[in-house]
Amino acid sequence: RRHTRLLTVTGVQTCALPILWLGITWVYAGWYKATDPQFLTPNTSGYIGTQLANYQLNSPISFLLRHMVERAGIVGLFVMLSEFAIGFATLTGFMLVYASIGGLLMSATLWLSASWSVKPYFLGSDTAYVVMWAVLLGSVFKSSRKLRLPNFSDRRELISLASIAGLSILDRKSTRLNSSHSQQSRMP
């Protein structure tokens, strides 16, 4: 006998708790940003541009964050609307595959930026969200077959994924070298 409640969403039978948790959390995150008067207001401590600028100091995706800082208002609005869309889509089951992909990408971005410098790593919640979205995506994909996942047995796909990972590591090392060099040049 099963002790968990199962929910059928777009033909996929899955546990209701992760779907409710992810959906409600994402709607709340969008609501929090929408009601925060500082989030889209430049020159305030809660401004998205200020947050992105601070994240890029230690992030392996600092090369992406640099571009986001330049367009912080648009990025902030996109993040806020995406959180609402992903949350409501997850709760209703509407286009759940794409909502799972969006949630996974957003969580991975937050993990590689906002939570990257959290030590020890398990204190940052974004790693758990990456895993939850990945599990949801996997369960939806397993039933619907609407998404093609990387074929890790194909050498070309493995090389391309390893190249992206290697470039991320190289960028992180160059960012650390540049920041330590700039700190040394500021010393009197």
Side-chain angles (χ1 to χ4, degrees):
R1 180 180 156 160
R2 289 213 154 130
H3 296 286
T4 59
R5 292 248 182 223
L6 294 178
L7 179 70
T8 302
V9 181
T10 60
V12 178
Q13 195 175 41
T14 186
C15 186
L17 186 60
I19 287 179
L20 290 173
W21 178 265
L22 291 170
I24 291 169
T25 301
W26 251 245
V27 170
Y28 175 72
W31 180 257
Y32 185 81
K33 290 171 180 66
T35 58
D36 181 359
Q38 293 186 359
F39 185 70
L40 294 174
T41 308
N43 302 321
T44 59
S45 61
Y47 178 54
I48 182 66
T50 306
Q51 294 174 35
L52 290 170
N54 289 332
Y55 297 156
Q56 82 177 7
L57 298 175
N58 295 315
S59 173
I61 58 169
S62 61
F63 60 96
L64 291 175
L65 296 176
R66 277 188 222 112
H67 297 291
M68 290 181 187
V69 170
E70 297 168 3
R71 295 162 189 82
I74 294 169
V75 169
L77 190 60
F78 176 77
V79 166
M80 180 188 346
L81 294 174
S82 295
E83 287 174 338
F84 276 123
I86 291 167
F88 285 125
T90 302
L91 289 172
T92 61
F94 179 71
M95 298 180 75
L96 191 56
V97 170
Y98 299 106
S100 300
I101 292 170
L104 179 64
L105 291 173
M106 188 172 280
S107 293
T109 302
L110 287 168
W111 171 50
L112 294 171
S113 58
S115 299
W116 187 254
S117 60
V118 174
K119 302 288 187 248
Y121 76 92
F122 52 82
L123 293 178
S125 63
D126 294 316
T127 54
Y129 283 107
V130 169
V131 171
M132 284 190 278
W133 283 114
V135 168
L136 180 59
L137 178 61
S139 68
V140 171
F141 170 73
K142 184 177 180 183
S143 296
S144 68
R145 297 280 187 216
K146 291 184 180 180
L147 176 70
R148 185 187 144 321
L149 295 176
N151 180 4
F152 292 108
S153 63
D154 182 1
R155 211 174 354 163
R156 288 174 290 197
E157 287 193 46
L158 193 58
I159 289 170
S160 66
L161 290 172
S163 299
I164 292 169
L167 290 172
S168 299
I169 293 168
L170 288 174
D171 185 67
R172 182 172 180 178
K173 287 183 179 183
S174 68
T175 303
R176 283 185 179 172
L177 288 174
N178 288 338
S179 66
S180 66
H181 180 0
S182 64
Q183 288 174 355
Q184 290 174 354
S185 64
R186 289 183 197 160
M187 297 175 118

